[in-house]
């Protein structure tokens, strides 16, 4: 499976870089003490990094806000995943506990203020592509407990595979079809960066996520791919 970024996206948002981590032979399950500890440590690191500032004042988050504005999204209404998660980390309720694998990549997102996501490899159809939507692509989601199909706005940046959109507004809302759950055995994790985050900083975040995955899943086969 490849991650393909369209020329349209590259032109609109120059300098976008992503790093993929492939993990096979995983054993997932409900959040536990180990995954919760990752989230708690990440929240402390975030507070130290921001030092009283709001997440949108961080240069990397500001760059993502500008990218969202470039394709017509309102960054204060549909926040990129890093900013949204950071705000939850700083709120009284703290970070949600989802499952062990999601906790691991959420911790990296918060600690490094970088959008991070995960997909079940066995549910992805073909390659993953980052495109500007035509507006007719299907996005299968749920509303009111029922499955429904939405469509992205024309020109919206989305991740998709051969079956449809997997994540709307770049990294704002993931669909349930490919998300990681307790049954996931094979997964791919994606870290996404913009300037001023450097490639070295992106690689460091990826190495930390790989280390967390190895500790949570001894024996899993983990491959960190080069930044693209």
């Amino acid at each position: 499976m490849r991650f393909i970024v369209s020329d349209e996206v590259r032109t609109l948002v120059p300098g976008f870089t992503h790093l993929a981590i492939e993990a096979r032979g995983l054993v997932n399950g409900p959040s536990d003490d180990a995954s919760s500890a990752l989230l708690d440590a990440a929240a402390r690191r975030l507070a130290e990094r921001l030092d009283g500032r709001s997440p949108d004042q961080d240069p990397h988050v500001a760059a993502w806000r500008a990218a969202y504005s470039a394709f017509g999204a309102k960054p204060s209404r549909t926040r990129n995943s890093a900013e949204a998660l950071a705000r939850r980390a700083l709120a009284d309720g703290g970070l949600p506990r989802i499952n062990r694998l999601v906790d691991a990549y959420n911790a990296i997102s918060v600690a490094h203020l970088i959008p991070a996501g995960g997909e079940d490899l066995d549910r992805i159809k073909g390659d993953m592509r980052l495109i500007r939507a035509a507006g007719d692509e299907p996005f299968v989601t749920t509303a009111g407990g029922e499955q429904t199909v939405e469509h992205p706005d024309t020109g919206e940046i989305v991740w998709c595979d051969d079956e449809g959109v997997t994540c709307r507004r770049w990294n704002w809302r993931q669909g349930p079809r490919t998300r990681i759950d307790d049954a996931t055995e094979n997964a791919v994790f994606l870290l996404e960066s913009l300037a001023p985050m450097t490639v070295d900083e992106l690689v460091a975040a990826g190495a930390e996520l790989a280390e967390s995955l190895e500790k949570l899943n001894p024996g899993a086969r983990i491959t960190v791919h080069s930044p693209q």
Side-chain angles (χ1 to χ4, degrees):
M1 191 198 72
R2 298 176 299 165
F3 285 89
I4 302 168
V5 181
S6 73
D7 291 340
E8 281 188 310
V9 173
R10 294 285 191 194
T11 299
L12 186 69
V13 188
F16 168 65
T17 309
H18 63 277
L19 182 149
I21 300 173
E22 188 176 339
R24 297 182 179 272
L26 298 166
V27 179
N28 199 15
S31 302
D32 57 14
D33 289 345
S35 67
S36 291
L38 293 175
L39 292 171
D40 290 339
R44 290 193 295 270
R45 290 165 65 183
L46 174 69
E48 292 173 0
R49 173 176 177 150
L50 292 176
D51 192 24
R53 296 175 298 150
S54 61
D56 59 285
Q57 293 176 295
D58 180 88
H60 194 221
V61 174
W64 276 103
R65 281 181 156 243
Y68 269 50
S69 295
F71 68 84
K74 295 182 178 179
S76 293
R77 180 178 298 175
T78 54
R79 295 186 174 96
N80 69 84
S81 64
E83 181 180 353
L85 204 58
R87 287 177 176 273
R88 294 193 69 172
L90 297 172
D92 291 341
L95 288 165
R97 270 57 175 166
I98 309 298
N99 58 55
R100 296 168 77 240
L101 294 177
V102 174
D103 291 351
Y105 74 71
N106 278 349
I108 294 301
S109 177
V110 169
H112 293 265
L113 268 181
I114 182 174
E119 306 280 359
D120 189 309
L121 268 172
D122 298 323
R123 299 172 189 164
I124 295 172
K125 308 300 180 184
D127 293 323
M128 295 288 294
R129 301 182 301 280
L130 187 66
I131 65 169
R132 298 201 71 181
D136 58 357
E137 298 88 350
F139 177 68
V140 179
T141 185
T142 55
E146 300 291 332
Q147 181 173 295
T148 185
V149 178
E150 298 177 356
H151 299 281
D153 299 328
T154 301
E156 180 182 327
I157 293 181
V158 298
W159 279 107
C160 61
D161 65 1
D162 290 349
E163 197 165 303
V165 174
T166 58
C167 195
R168 286 200 57 189
R169 293 178 190 164
W170 210 322
N171 47 50
W172 167 63
R173 180 154 64 102
Q174 183 184 30
R177 173 171 61 88
T178 59
R179 72 170 51 141
I180 290 172
D181 59 23
D182 288 358
T184 296
E185 297 179 355
N186 304 302
V188 62
F189 303 88
L190 189 70
L191 306 181
E192 302 179 287
S193 71
L194 299 170
M197 177 173 273
T198 66
V199 172
D200 286 346
E201 289 171 327
L202 174 62
V203 168
E208 186 177 337
L209 177 53
E211 181 180 359
S212 295
L213 293 171
E214 289 170 350
K215 289 180 178 178
L216 292 172
N217 290 268
R221 303 181 302 280
I222 297 172
T223 304
V224 181
H225 295 281
S226 299
Q228 299 291 325

